[in-house]
Amino acid sequence: MRLVKCLVVVGIAGGLLSATPTIDGTINPASEGWQVASYNPNASGYAGADLDTLYYYMSSDSLYLAIKTQNSASWDVAYGFGIDVNQEQDNGYVGNASTGTWDAWGRHLIFPNASPDYYAPDYEVYFWWEDDNDAITSVNLCTWTGSGWNFNSTDVTYATSGDGNTGLISLEFRISWSMLGSPERILVSTWIAGGDNSSAVDALPQAVSVTRVGDSDPTVTEWTDVDTLDQYVSITTPLGISEVSIRNFDILPAVGGFVIKGEGVFDYVIYTVDGREITRGSVRVSGEKKISLGLTPGLYIFKEKRGGHLRFIVIR
Ligand SMILES: [Ca+2]
Ligand SMILES: [Ca+2]
Ligand SMILES: [Ca+2]
Ligand SMILES: [Ca+2]
């Protein structure tokens, strides 16, 4: 299984200080502060199911997501979003074709649950675009319970633009961080699927499993196959950023390793003095934590990953 992570470098000036989006169905990146998470201007080959850009914005209390399409027809389709809030193995919806375990709306989608981030959505947000109405007629914030889904349609504030000629052209929505469990980092992707028991025909970031019409294996029916959505965007939330800015860890060398003093999640990378990476890890520290690595005595470069601090340590 191929796993490619798309990293978004979050600038505080870029995401947090600009104007907050107005949820009105019109995406205006310059005045609303939308940041591009992923885009694919190539045509999917499906006139009524063609994603162009995924945007995000974060305020101190809410996550905002938006998509722009390049649809040129109004079809009955489902717009889905996966949100992973914990990046933990086997924690979230994964899916299983052999047991018929499918996602919140029964779409035949599998998530990789693979190292390093174990993308397995803890939430899905779904919108149904109804051709007869030329509008969204159903919306759900779907919460993975560990064995199934809870559905909530009142905590998503959204707006769209589009009509019977174009289908949905843009969709903006907002969910409060508290509804998502106040995460420090999220992984996000979006896709378009069809009706019951269908699968994705377009995705952002583009997943290998979701072929474009021009690339398709003619034996694969993209509407009804099983797709692995192995691509996602990683975003550090304001909660994660503020933890970085207030963090104050002390690192002390110890026999064969080191001791961390402080509070919070501590990510580290250790290099030899000539820059070769030896190991990396992530630990939750409350007070004091000893990390034993069995390092041979010598001089090492120690980097605190999120804070970006470098320091030399001598391992005895
Ligand atoms: Ca707007
Ligand atoms: Ca998860
Ligand atoms: Ca496929
Ligand atoms: Ca498919």
Side-chain angles (χ1 to χ4, degrees):
M1 181 183 301
R2 200 176 78 123
L3 178 76
V4 179
K5 183 170 66 167
C6 301
L7 268 181
V8 171
V9 177
V10 175
I12 291 181
L16 298 177
L17 298 181
S18 45
T20 302
T22 305
I23 303 295
D24 58 3
T26 301
I27 299 167
N28 190 328
S31 65
E32 295 186 305
W34 288 111
Q35 307 288 307
V36 172
S38 180
Y39 75 104
N40 188 339
N42 298 328
S44 67
Y46 304 99
D50 195 343
L51 289 167
D52 182 272
T53 307
L54 169 64
Y55 297 92
Y56 73 96
Y57 178 91
M58 300 181 294
S59 70
S60 57
D61 64 0
S62 296
L63 170 67
Y64 295 72
L65 294 173
I67 48 172
K68 185 173 80 180
T69 75
Q70 40 195 6
N71 292 341
S72 55
S74 181
W75 293 355
D76 290 341
V77 285
Y79 291 88
F81 297 80
I83 304 173
D84 181 300
V85 297
N86 45 38
Q87 299 92 52
E88 292 171 358
Q89 190 167 14
D90 301 323
N91 191 337
Y93 166 76
V94 176
N96 186 328
S98 61
T99 60
T101 304
W102 301 120
D103 86 343
W105 273 21
R107 274 32 175 202
H108 293 187
L109 305 175
I110 303 286
F111 291 84
N113 188 36
S115 174
D117 289 327
Y118 301 102
Y119 183 40
D122 309 289
Y123 300 90
E124 286 187 326
V125 186
Y126 260 115
F127 300 86
W128 179 251
W129 177 270
E130 177 79 41
D131 173 29
D132 283 349
N133 300 68
D134 299 316
I136 297 292
T137 55
S138 178
V139 54
N140 277 151
L141 169 61
C142 316
T143 304
W144 176 249
T145 64
S147 57
W149 296 91
N150 287 335
F151 299 92
N152 169 325
S153 51
T154 58
D155 288 306
V156 182
T157 304
Y158 72 96
T160 60
S161 60
D163 59 33
N165 294 318
T166 62
L168 182 144
I169 288 298
S170 59
L171 163 67
E172 299 176 298
F173 68 95
R174 178 180 78 230
I175 303 172
S176 70
W177 288 121
S178 62
M179 284 303 300
L180 300 173
S182 302
E184 293 176 13
R185 185 160 74 102
I186 59 170
L187 313 178
V188 178
S189 68
T190 184
W191 58 88
I192 301 176
D196 292 346
N197 300 311
S198 66
S199 67
V201 295
D202 198 4
L204 287 175
Q206 181 68 34
V208 174
S209 181
V210 183
T211 52
R212 314 217 135 224
V213 167
D215 309 331
S216 304
D217 176 341
T219 63
V220 172
T221 304
E222 199 53 64
W223 290 101
T224 53
D225 64 350
V226 175
D227 298 315
T228 300
L229 297 185
D230 56 359
Q231 308 292 301
Y232 54 84
V233 177
S234 172
I235 302 171
T236 300
T237 74
L239 196 70
I241 292 169
S242 65
E243 183 174 331
V244 171
S245 66
I246 63 169
R247 65 209 285 110
N248 186 15
F249 287 104
D250 228 6
I251 302 114
L252 306 169
V255 176
F258 55 93
V259 172
I260 305 165
K261 292 182 174 178
E263 297 289 332
V265 176
F266 189 83
D267 298 318
Y268 62 89
V269 189
I270 297 176
Y271 303 90
T272 59
V273 284
D274 59 356
R276 184 170 51 85
E277 182 180 323
I278 297 171
T279 187
R280 60 176 61 207
S282 179
V283 290
R284 183 169 285 280
V285 181
S286 179
E288 184 173 316
K289 183 111 177 170
K290 168 118 195 276
I291 307 294
S292 298
L293 295 167
L295 296 173
T296 53
L299 183 64
Y300 296 89
I301 298 170
F302 182 100
K303 184 181 181 194
E304 182 190 347
K305 213 163 106 192
R306 289 201 284 179
H309 305 302
L310 286 171
R311 68 176 77 186
F312 290 95
I313 57 171
V314 177
I315 301 291
R316 291 166 281 154

